[in-house]
Amino acid sequence: MIILKSGRDLDAMRAACEVAGAVLEAVAAFVRPGLTTRQVDEFAAAQIKSRGARSAFLGYRKYPCHTCLSVNDEVVHGLANERELRFGDIVSVDVGVYYRGFIGDTARTVAVGGCGVAAQRLMDVTEQALHLGIAAALPDNRVTDISRAIQHHVESNGFSVVREFVGHGVGRTMHEEPQVPNFVDRKMNQRLRPGTTIAIEPMVNAGRPEVKILKDGWTVVTQDGSLSAHFEHTVLVTGGEPEILTWPETRLSKLKVA
Ligand code: MF3
Ligand code: CO
Ligand code: CO
């Protein structure tokens, strides 16, 4: 069953997503060569706390960190540790916060200082795929319309989508119905109704789509060692255009000026 949001619940959901978006923005700007991923996670924890929220990840199925920080060939669920970020690395930052009873979930891959053209193209195509998926989150469309838009853009650019992990409904809990795959799965034929809140999150590999999980039980890496990128927004299906709940004002106003 898909839980539709409205009224006070939707206000709280918007607030939670705004916090998640602002935290991600701050963490993305903080990332620089020489920091350990532990330091980045601690910075994120302080950002979440200062906004009166708490991490939706810490303790989720015993997850041990405040954020997911996935470097280079790490796809998602990377654990913070003593690894130092180096110029040219790419790091996927995933932030989930719990605030006013709801969860906001958002992610972005950023270059550490700068990166090569191949890595930049992977990030660009993944972010474009996210926005094409969001554009398909229209009332009376189906989940597969989102999946198709993402998969088509990724594969026509020569990259591949991860199959084992998918986007999802989000609300009072992190993972609600429906599942939102980044590939067409004909079983995912639910209609999108106004009030549906979903996390759309393409995970894109530069090489083959296959992944494996490291012995830490969490970190997902590409089997072929190729780079991977991840962009995610929590989105509200409305009666018209979708509303990107985790898009901070700062980025919006920057875009308006541009
Ligand atoms: N935020 C991830 C997602 O986008 C879920 C992370 S679960 C955790 O769905 F336990 F790893 F934090
Ligand atoms: Co996430
Ligand atoms: Co998510």
Side-chain angles (χ1 to χ4, degrees), residues 13-14 16 26 33 36 54 63 73 84 90 101 103 114 126 131 138 141 158 160 164 166 183 193 196 202 242 249:
M13 180 78 193
R14 278 200 179 91
T36 66
R54 65 180 176 78
Y63 186 75
D73 63 326
E84 262 188 37
I90 60 171
I103 284 165
T126 307
H131 285 280
L138 297 171
N141 263 2
S160 59
E164 286 85 346
V166 297
F183 55 94
R193 304 285 189 201
T196 304
E249 276 300 307

Side-chain angles (χ1 to χ4, degrees), residues 55-68 76-79 94-96 104-107 166-168 174-175 199 201 203 218 230 232:
S55 167
F57 300 170
L58 183 67
Y60 175 84
R61 297 186 183 171
K62 300 198 177 144
Y63 186 75
C65 306
H66 300 86
T67 58
C68 300
V76 287
H77 304 167
L79 301 180
D94 194 341
V95 170
D105 187 10
T106 182
V166 297
H168 50 93
M174 188 149 60
H175 296 129
E201 50 177 315
M203 287 149 266
W218 282 104
H230 179 212
E232 173 177 36

